[in-house]
Amino acid sequence: MKANEFIGMKVLDKEANEVGKVAEIAVVFKKCLVDKIFVSMGSALSKKYLVIVEEDIAEIGDYLQLKIDKAGLEEQVKVDKIDDFLGNATKYKDFIGKTVLTKSGMDVGKITDMVIDPKGCLIHNIVVTTGGTLNKKHIMISDEDIDAMGDYLILNLDQKQVEDRTD
């Protein structure tokens, strides 16, 4: 599942009551993990974020179904700001648009999405889009292809290896 399809998904509790929507995911790239899922609850004026981890997830289909009932939700960690509860993880939205470079410093493109398994809390691939409007191509990058991640994502691939992966 692409992360951009997961964000915005409605969340249901164990008793099939709507809890909120997936607002953000916290990712740890060095471990290729979705660390936490943040579910927005409440109105725009009193919004809180429910913090969900892998053990809280029952199923994922058209909805994210939790193993937690209404009483259990009251006990779950809720935060006012996502940034206050990230720990060593980074928000998904902070990765989107990052420039990707080859190991020789050549511009490959930009991160446009991730392929994730939210129930297993895994990141399978990063989707990098390259080319202009008329000749866009996508490259799938795995954690083994990443050399460094900071303001840019640097691959341990050269230009030829990148070109061999374009769709």
Side-chain angles (χ1 to χ4, degrees):
M1 163 182 285
K2 288 189 175 181
N4 70 3
E5 296 167 351
F6 182 64
I7 292 177
M9 184 178 282
K10 287 185 180 180
V11 179
L12 307 177
D13 68 12
K14 184 178 181 178
E15 297 154 340
N17 297 308
E18 189 171 326
V19 174
K21 288 185 179 182
V22 175
E24 181 64 88
I25 56 176
V27 294
V28 180
F29 262 106
K30 295 198 187 246
K31 295 183 180 177
C32 228
L33 293 175
V34 173
D35 188 46
K36 297 172 191 82
I37 299 168
F38 294 93
V39 177
S40 62
M41 302 172 65
S43 67
L45 297 175
S46 63
K47 188 172 288 197
K48 294 264 189 208
Y49 296 97
L50 175 69
V51 181
I52 300 296
V53 293
E54 180 180 7
E55 295 80 34
D56 300 328
I57 300 171
E59 293 298 329
I60 299 174
D62 291 334
Y63 297 86
L64 169 60
Q65 298 171 339
L66 303 177
K67 294 178 183 176
I68 308 165
D69 60 15
K70 195 170 193 169
L73 283 172
E74 295 301 319
E75 299 170 14
Q76 285 292 108
V77 175
K78 295 178 191 77
V79 294
D80 292 325
K81 295 181 182 176
I82 293 172
D83 292 340
D84 294 344
F85 207 76
L86 282 175
N88 64 345
T90 305
K91 291 189 295 189
Y92 161 78
K93 291 175 185 165
D94 291 343
F95 284 109
I96 300 305
K98 248 186 214 295
T99 300
V100 180
L101 306 172
T102 65
K103 64 183 177 182
S104 59
M106 298 299 292
D107 190 330
V108 173
K110 298 205 180 287
I111 297 174
T112 54
D113 209 344
M114 291 180 211
V115 179
I116 62 171
D117 171 10
K119 188 171 182 187
C121 287
L122 299 173
I123 301 168
H124 292 293
N125 290 299
I126 299 169
V127 180
V128 178
T129 301
T130 185
T133 305
L134 299 176
N135 62 345
K136 266 188 192 165
K137 295 183 179 177
H138 303 285
I139 303 164
M140 300 299 257
I141 303 296
S142 72
D143 63 323
E144 289 124 21
D145 301 325
I146 299 171
D147 183 43
M149 174 83 79
D151 293 335
Y152 295 83
L153 180 119
I154 300 174
L155 304 175
N156 57 21
L157 304 173
D158 61 30
Q159 193 70 30
K160 173 78 172 112
Q161 291 170 309
V162 169
E163 288 170 3
D164 290 343
R165 291 188 184 199
T166 57
D167 60 11

